[in-house]
Amino acid sequence: MSRSRQPPLVTGISPNEGIPWTKVTIRGENLGTGPADLIGLTICGHNCLLTAEWMSASKIVCRVGQAKNDKGDIIVTTKSGGKGTSTVSFKLLKPEKIGILDQSAVWVDEMNYYDMRTDRNKGIPPLSLRPANPLGIEVEKGKFPQKDLEMLFPGMSADFTSENFSAAWYLIENHSNTSFEQLKMAITHLKRQANKKSEGSLAYVKGGLSTFFEAQDALSAIHQKLEADGTEKVEGSMTQKLENVLNRASNTADTLFQEVLGRKDKADSTRNALNVLQRFKFLFNLPLNIERNIQKGDYDVVINDYEKAKSLFGKTEVQVFKKYYAEVETRIEALRELLLEKLLETPSTLHDQKRYIRYLSDLHAPGDPAWQCIGAQHRWILQLMHGCREGCARDLKGPPGLHGAPVDLDAEVRAPAPSHLGQTASLKRGSSFQPGRDDAWRCKTPHRVAFVEKLTKLVLSQLPNFWKLWISYVNGSLFSETAEKSGHIERSKNVRHRQNDFKKMIQEVMQCLVKLVRGALLPLGAAEGGGRQHGGWEAKAELSGQWLAHVIQTLRLTYESLAALEIPNDLLQTIQDLILDLRVRCVVVTLQHTAEDIKRLAEKEDWVVDSEGLTSLPCQFERCVLLSLQSLHGVLESKPGEPSVFQHPKTQEEVCQLSINIMQVFIYCLEQLSTKPDADVDTAHLSVDVSSPDLFGSIHEDFSLTSEQRLLIVLSNCCYLERHTFLNIADHFEKHNFQGIEKIAQVSMASLKDLDQRLFESYIELKADPIVGSLEPGIYAGYFDWRDCLPPTGVRNYLKEALVNIIAVHAEVFTISKDLVPRVLSRVVEAVSEELSRLMQCVSSFSKNGALQARLEICTLRDTVAAHLTPESRSSFKQALEALPQLSSGADRKLLEELLSRVKSGMHLQLACFQAAPPPAVKT
């Protein structure tokens, strides 16, 4: 509705500065049409409407109150013009206590003071209110700074009329140089003034006692004179005579003019009846007009007519008016019932609800229609939420609708691995691990996810209007201006009483939302709190981590939208708790699915070895774990106000165990691959380094892996996992704020090392035992006897066979992984040297030729494998040599050296593999 007048404009104020409670005159334009039109007046931000006195449309008089701002505008607000503006400002000065005889730049009202509590002016003698010198001695102002006195007496005042009066402050300020004798005189003066004040009323009565007696005598004389005048004369008093004369004159006049006056009264009665019909036709036609306007929906017209009729005839005693007004009340009561019915209908827009509430408020409907509307809206929201659950449950049981069956997203394509994982050739080959991307999952939303999206959308569409309805109920904007004035106090009480009731309504909606979501997504955990009542999804498979992350994002957006409505955080805490539980569940499910994916990695092993002795399996494992962690990035990241996923020790322990399980599952896969029967191994071609020649032609196009080669490949992968993969995964866990990283790394490394040691011992057993077992039969082949043998001409065949077997082991290991060669050959040499030492120590005696033959063979073996000797193997060779007789002559030593040189030169090609090679470059 447009306003009929221009906004108020303040153009002047006099005075334009002053202390609080200064009386000012405000001048301007459009300052209101009357006192009732003035609804607001602020000076320097302080409401001065209480002291405002409207004089005219261009003048208002008021007093300035205590304002926080030192300087500000003068804002006038009227009903007809609204909130106005100001071209001038008022400066608020600091109040100072001014005595009666002190000079002042502004006028001080000495005879009156303003009482802001009762808004009344009280006449009080200024000397009794603020005496200039209560001690009665000369005032000698000191030179103490005012700030020092305020710091010395905090919260006190030197004003003796103040409640916080400090006598010490007053004496320091006014009598710092006064002598002690003068102060004693001041005390005597104060006592005398107090005595005068207590005896003042009694002295006043004593002084006027004669006047009271004279007035009493005069009144008694008048009373006696009147009594004598009425009893001494028989005819009565003069007033009685006059009354009798007037009564006789009235009777005579009535007798003469009775007929004329009767006709006149009848004519007046008829005329008055016609005038009443004409004058009050509004009331007589009102019942019919109300019915017509209700049918047309003009409720505003009905309310205005009813208010007018109520003000005119609500308290009438005329029977005709009472009868017609009762008809009006009957129709208004029917209108109240109609409006209340429309108000409680659902669904309904917030605009219509406010409109019907205002109508019912103007009609003074019994009860609290606004609260009834809030209750109906609350029940409607709960009904919609349960209806959404039931509808989705029916769709799930019936034929599939728009949504298909849930899709296992774990089998879908994940994001490509980071670039640093794709630097090796094996990782490039590992890209075959990823199937082709299929975007069909985006349109195959699981029923439970679709239900959560539909439910949150429903809540976000209904709850904001429900909250705004409550806010309007609290601030009174639901009600019309007249109803607000009449029922403000009653509604304030209702709001205080019903605040807790509305809080329970919001909590019930939030709890219903949380329970329904828990029933759909966390059936096992929600079963304790009535999951079957709110769920009905127990028979369905659990959602994957990707769908849970999608639901978490949906609930986060829901929480942010509800928080934007300024709903208190304690009412939304249940949603935060649900989000935390879903985040924990998403992490757990994702890690469990990751472990299942890793179990299937063994099926993807192609046994293709790169130049470093590795297959694609370690890189596939690292990629699988990294993709899993990347999918959890948004879930693990805590939004503002959200706690950490790992805040509970139980969650930390569970996630730690799942992480360890992932590592151990992969270790178990390696163990299964190492013990896989030969028939189950696919034929593959080993890829070797070009610098490693195929010494014996054992690797060719039709090659099939043996169990020993598979052991070597798994050992090589274990070494790489220990040096790189497990460390990288631990770093990824730490970047994603996983707890218990040390425990994960420690347990995983221990399991890996245990597997590595077991596989290594198995391989050594397979390779070293045949070589060790052939030594003793070879030494004593042909009935050889150390005590009776020919002079040595070279090493015997058993040693050459042992060297060839060691060379074969070297070739097999070198073909798979160069890094494993020193480790394997060192153990093989240890086993051979230990056996050789045992055999030498078992010989009872040696001939000269036997001793020379044994020393030649031991030295040949020792010098050949010198690059792979360990302290244990050196000790075994030393013990074997110590078991032999010492060479007695230089000729024997020279013969031994010649024979050693001849053997080495004869087998230099075969023994070239034992030459010390430069250490391999560290793989990064």
Side-chain angles (χ1 to χ4, degrees), residues 192-208:
R192 188 166 54 250
Q193 292 294 330
N195 293 333
K196 285 183 180 180
K197 187 173 182 181
S198 62
E199 297 177 356
S201 57
L202 182 61
Y204 177 73
V205 174
K206 289 180 179 179

Side-chain angles (χ1 to χ4, degrees), residues 146-159:
Q146 187 72 16
K147 293 184 178 180
D148 294 346
L149 291 174
E150 291 177 356
M151 294 177 61
L152 188 60
F153 302 98
M156 308 302 290
S157 172
D159 182 8

Side-chain angles (χ1 to χ4, degrees), residues 138-150:
E138 184 180 358
V139 176
E140 297 179 1
K141 292 285 185 179
K143 297 183 180 180
F144 289 95
Q146 187 72 16
K147 293 184 178 180
D148 294 346
L149 291 174
E150 291 177 356

Side-chain angles (χ1 to χ4, degrees), residues 524-797:
L524 297 178
E528 300 176 359
R532 296 187 180 276
Q533 179 183 356
H534 297 277
W537 315 89
E538 289 86 345
K540 301 304 293 182
E542 188 171 12
L543 291 176
S544 64
Q546 287 87 342
W547 282 122
L548 286 175
H550 174 74
V551 171
I552 291 170
Q553 181 63 18
T554 301
L555 290 175
R556 279 174 168 173
L557 295 176
T558 302
Y559 176 84
E560 292 174 1
S561 300
L562 294 178
L565 297 175
E566 298 183 356
I567 298 178
N569 290 333
D570 57 335
L571 298 180
L572 301 178
Q573 186 59 39
T574 54
I575 298 182
Q576 281 283 34
D577 296 340
L578 171 63
I579 293 175
L580 177 60
D581 291 344
L582 285 176
R583 291 168 64 198
V584 172
R585 188 61 189 164
C586 181
V587 173
V588 171
V589 170
T590 301
L591 294 180
Q592 290 174 346
H593 289 180
T594 302
E596 294 174 1
D597 289 344
I598 291 173
K599 281 183 182 179
R600 294 189 288 268
L601 285 181
E603 303 171 2
K604 304 178 184 298
E605 176 62 276
D606 54 7
W607 300 104
V608 177
V609 183
D610 64 5
S611 60
E612 297 179 2
L614 303 175
T615 64
S616 62
L617 202 61
C619 294
Q620 290 184 20
F621 167 65
E622 183 176 356
R623 177 183 299 172
C624 186
V625 175
L626 181 56
L627 290 176
S628 175
L629 294 177
Q630 287 176 344
S631 68
L632 291 175
H633 177 73
V635 176
L636 295 173
E637 182 181 8
S638 297
K639 300 295 183 182
E642 288 185 356
S644 171
V645 174
F646 306 107
Q647 68 170 353
H648 297 302
K650 182 178 179 181
T651 303
Q652 297 178 10
E653 181 64 23
E654 184 178 9
V655 172
C656 180
Q657 291 298 328
L658 289 173
S659 303
I660 293 173
N661 182 57
I662 288 175
M663 301 293 200
Q664 292 179 338
V665 164
F666 185 68
I667 293 172
Y668 177 76
C669 289
L670 293 176
E671 184 175 4
Q672 292 297 108
L673 289 173
S674 66
T675 59
K676 198 172 185 181
D678 294 343
D680 294 341
V681 180
D682 296 334
T683 301
H685 308 306
L686 288 179
S687 171
V688 299
D689 194 346
V690 294
S691 62
S692 303
D694 186 0
L695 298 178
F696 300 99
S698 60
I699 300 177
H700 49 82
E701 292 185 359
D702 296 330
F703 178 77
S704 179
L705 286 177
T706 63
S707 59
E708 293 87 349
Q709 290 173 330
R710 277 189 280 113
L711 278 174
L712 287 174
I713 293 174
V714 174
L715 277 172
S716 178
N717 286 339
C718 287
C719 294
Y720 183 81
L721 289 171
E722 181 180 354
R723 294 195 306 268
H724 301 285
T725 305
F726 276 18
L727 298 178
N728 293 341
I729 291 176
D731 291 340
H732 293 316
F733 281 147
E734 187 173 3
K735 289 178 182 178
H736 288 82
N737 299 321
F738 274 51
Q739 303 298 314
I741 304 298
E742 294 181 359
K743 180 179 178 181
I744 296 173
Q746 182 179 0
V747 175
S748 302
M749 286 294 187
S751 300
L752 182 65
K753 289 179 180 178
D754 178 68
L755 174 64
D756 177 83
Q757 187 63 31
R758 286 188 285 110
L759 296 180
F760 180 73
E761 294 296 339
S762 298
Y763 184 78
I764 294 301
E765 184 178 353
L766 290 174
K767 293 299 181 181
D769 287 357
I771 300 177
V772 170
S774 65
L775 288 179
E776 186 173 2
I779 290 177
Y780 296 104
Y783 301 101
F784 179 80
D785 188 359
W786 294 109
R787 292 171 295 183
D788 183 16
C789 60
L790 298 175
T793 57
V795 296
R796 290 182 294 163
N797 290 335

Side-chain angles (χ1 to χ4, degrees), residues 392 395-396 398-408 440-451 537 540 543 547:
C392 290
D395 293 342
L396 183 61
L402 296 178
H403 301 288
V407 179
D408 183 12
W441 65 274
R442 299 185 181 276
C443 60
K444 293 182 180 179
T445 306
H447 280 83
R448 286 175 288 171
V449 177
F451 162 70
W537 315 89
K540 301 304 293 182
L543 291 176
W547 282 122

